[in-house]
Each structure stands twice: as C-alpha cells, then as structure tokens.
Amino acid sequence: MADNPHSLTAYAERLLRLGAGQLVGIENSPYFLSLDEARAAAAETGKPFISFANYDYLGLSRHPQILGAAEAALERFGTGALASRIVGGERSIHRALERELASFCGTEDSLALVSGYLANASLLAHLLGPNDLLIIDELSHASIANGAKCSRARCEKFRHNDLDHLAEILDAHRAAHSHCLIVVEGLYSMDGDVPDLPALLDLKEKHDAWLMIDEAHSHGVLGETGRGICEHFGADPERVDLVIGTLSKAFVSCGGFIAAKRQVVDLLRFGLPGFIFSVGMPPMVAAAALTAVELARSEAWRVKQLAERTRYFMSRASEAGFDTGNAIGRAVVPVLFPKPAATMAAASELMDAGIYAPPIIQVGVPRDTPRIRFFISAEHSHEDIDLAISVLARATAPFDTKNQSSGAAAELANTVQP
C-alpha cells in the first residue's frame, strides 16, 4: 500500500516536491517557528529576540486591558459560542464588537466572522450572480482570488494598481452585466503599497459599480488615527460599499468582519454561508478584539509612532541600498532580492542574530520576486531597526546583486553589531 503510486500519500509527496520543495526539509527552517520557545531560548543566552514577522502593528498584543478583558469574558461567557449565532443565539459581546467596528470604519453596521479568510471567500462566492461582473486587482490576497473562483460572476483581473487598465475592463464589459463589484486592498501585504482611492471612487461611480476594500493591513495603520484608507486620503467612507477587516492584525485577536450599510449587513446576517454555517466567534476572542479597537481609538499616538518607526526603517534600508519596491512606508516593508539563495541566506543570518523575519520565496509572491517582508510595530525601537538593517547588510554583502551596492552594504554592516 505504501508503494502505491495512486495513493493519497504518493500524490501529496509529488505535489510537495513540485510546489514547495524549497520550503521543507532545510536545516534550521525559518518556517513554523515556535515563538515562545525561541524567546525563552534567547532569554537564557542573553541574546535578543526581535520579531519582524508578526502583525502587531500598534503593539497591543500584551496590553493589560486586553488581557483583562479576555480573562473577564472567559469567566463570564465560557470558552466558546457553542453554535452558529443564527440558531444557537449570540452573546452580548458579539453585537458590542460589531457596533464598535462599524463606528471605527464609519459605516452603519458590521458582521463579525470567525475567520478573515472566510469573510472574503464566502462573501465573493455568495454575493454576485451569473449576470454580474467581478473585477479584482491581480495582487489581491488568496482569500479574494479563491472567493472569485467560487463566484458565479464573470471575473476579470486588472494589473496591480493600474486604474487605466481597470477603466479599459469597465468600458469593455460593464454594460453587459447587471451588477459590478471592484475589489482592492487598502494596504497590500506583500508590497506595502496602496491604490489611488480618490481616482478609484470616481471610476466606480462613473460606471455605477460597487467598491469593496480589504482593509486587513490598513486598519490601525493608515490615516492620522488609523481608520484606514479613507482617512488616509480624506475620502468619505460612505462612498465605499463594502469594507472587509480582520481582527488578527492591529486588533491582535482573531477573525474577520464585513462593514457596510445596515441593509447590506442584515442581508448577510441571514444569508452569508460563511456566517450562518459557522460557529460564532468565541466570546473571549470578541472581548479582546473589542478592547483593542477601543484602545486603537483612544491611544492614537500609537499610529503616529508606527508611522515614524516605518519611515525610519525605510530610511535606513535606503541608506544600505536595499530595494523596497513600491512600499509607502507604513507598517509593511519588503526587501527584495533577485535570487532565492540570497533571500534564504539573509533570513538565516537574521535568525542567527535573534531577528525573526522569514523569507518569502515561493508562497504568496511570484517566483522571480523573492523577498524578506518586514512588519513594523509601534513597539520596535530605532535600535531594533538599526540591528536588523546592519545584519541584513552583512548577510547580503557577499552577493553581487542589483538591489544593493556592495560599498554601502560593507560600510553599514560594520556600523551595528548584534
């Protein structure tokens, strides 16, 4: 049975070799690292452990008020929602969270789901019919791309942030379809760039289309108070039809949500498969998220500090000659490499120095654009950033790459030592 070439095991082995051969079986793999064990080991040896791989943009994950809220909810409500909310009932904390999220987004209502991935995938598969048109940015998150595949609507992709191409698609196809939904992200998680929202709003209104923005990485990050891309551009949030958010990034919890007009949310509350056929969010998770949203609003200094720290990282990376692509300098900064080998070597060197920033070489990006993606937090210090850039420069100095001048690398590699 073990040697059967048609077995599921044999099938899995073949696909693993083809699709992820570079990601498994390597010595000291940077993937699936046990963070608590790594931190404990670093503490025992007196070495630093600095993570640039987590989404804690506002530095709230260990905030005592959030920990206290989760503990209190655990004591009051128990461990789980125990059923789908539509048939098993909900807890008061669920609606309190949804009201707070709607207020934060500037919408009338919101609906919280147990998974951010599910919010996108389920909504796109459910909302549109066979006579409708769905247009997505080509670099949209996998949850959007997979939701589009499951949708009955005609799906078109436009070149990343190329609104002229989007306009061409609208001119060619909009008139033949009953409804049209355009989907973009507020802040792209692999590149750290943003769409031109004012032009996008004008375009969608010209063509009588709907606009959905996935703000997973832009909430808590963009705008003076972290309200997202509308605040960033000074646009009226009522002009956006659907906002998708996550609770696992700046709000340091787990789950996703959809924010929109009340009639739209009511429709989804009684019909969205990913909501009505999934269990409700655990109350302690909802309580943690609710408190995080409240803190994001009341401690807006964290947003400003995050912006300053990211600008500092971008400045130091530029001095070292690194290519950060089209990143705007808010929370997400990729450092691009021409070859996977240089990317893996740099990530390994960082890990040896106690800096966790895994390489992205095959999953989530094209094979010819490997990178190390740095998630900046308001809690990162200038010293943390200096150390990371110094180690990165030392690691890449032996490689003759187009992304970095060897002179700049060599000079910077000697400025800060771990």
Side-chain angles (χ1 to χ4, degrees), residues 97-117:
L97 171 62
E98 289 167 345
R99 287 191 295 270
E100 182 67 16
L101 289 168
S103 176
F104 183 86
C105 294
T107 62
E108 292 179 355
D109 205 353
S110 77
L111 183 69
L113 290 80
V114 292
S115 163
Y117 185 102

Side-chain angles (χ1 to χ4, degrees), residues 72-82 91-94 282-284 287:
L74 177 62
E75 181 67 26
R76 178 182 176 188
F77 299 112
T79 57
L82 306 180
R91 308 304 203 284
S92 55
I93 193 71
H94 290 130
M284 59 184 176

Side-chain angles (χ1 to χ4, degrees), residues 122-362:
S122 183
L123 178 63
L124 293 179
H126 172 71
L127 187 62
L128 301 175
N131 295 322
D132 298 329
L133 176 63
L134 173 61
I135 312 176
I136 68 175
D137 187 292
E138 66 176 349
L139 295 188
S140 294
H141 189 265
S143 57
I144 296 171
N146 289 334
K149 289 178 183 177
C150 296
S151 173
R152 294 171 296 165
R154 172 172 183 158
C155 182
E156 299 284 342
K157 293 183 179 181
F158 66 96
R159 291 186 293 271
H160 179 53
N161 279 343
D162 186 343
L163 299 193
D164 290 335
H165 188 214
L166 173 59
E168 291 175 9
I169 295 173
L170 287 165
D171 287 338
H173 300 292
R174 174 65 186 98
H177 296 85
S178 299
H179 307 105
C180 174
L181 176 64
I182 302 167
V183 181
V184 298
E185 297 186 26
L187 179 69
Y188 285 86
S189 63
M190 285 294 175
D191 295 274
D193 57 350
V194 301
D196 182 350
L197 181 62
L200 188 57
L201 288 169
D202 291 343
L203 194 58
K204 79 102 177 179
E205 289 166 358
K206 174 185 175 182
H207 291 272
D208 196 21
W210 304 331
L211 177 63
M212 171 179 142
I213 305 179
D214 181 340
E215 298 232 51
H217 291 270
S218 47
H219 282 150
V221 172
L222 296 183
E224 285 295 311
T225 62
R227 301 296 183 88
I229 193 169
C230 284
E231 186 180 40
H232 179 74
F233 281 102
D236 182 354
E238 290 196 358
R239 296 175 69 189
V240 177
D241 299 279
L242 291 160
V243 171
I244 306 298
T246 182
L247 305 174
S248 63
K249 310 302 190 290
F251 302 139
V252 297
S253 187
C254 188
F257 65 92
I258 302 166
K261 294 283 190 182
R262 183 161 291 110
Q263 298 95 321
V264 176
V265 173
D266 284 344
L267 172 68
L268 300 176
R269 196 180 303 279
F270 286 93
L272 185 67
F275 176 73
I276 63 175
F277 295 113
S278 290
V279 71
M281 184 181 297
M284 59 184 176
V285 173
L290 172 60
T291 307
V293 178
E294 292 170 343
L295 284 167
R297 298 179 69 163
S298 63
E299 298 184 358
W301 60 266
R302 294 177 181 271
V303 179
K304 295 180 175 59
Q305 185 159 301
L306 170 63
E308 187 277 327
R309 295 295 190 269
T310 314
R311 287 194 298 268
Y312 184 79
F313 184 99
M314 291 278 287
S315 174
R316 297 292 283 135
S318 177
E319 290 172 7
F322 290 117
D323 181 359
T324 55
N326 295 320
I328 66 167
R330 288 296 184 96
V332 180
V333 184
V335 173
L336 306 176
F337 295 82
K339 299 292 183 182
T343 317
M344 296 294 288
S348 178
E349 189 89 10
L350 287 167
M351 191 69 251
D352 288 344
I355 300 168
Y356 185 47
I360 310 290
I361 61 171
Q362 200 161 334

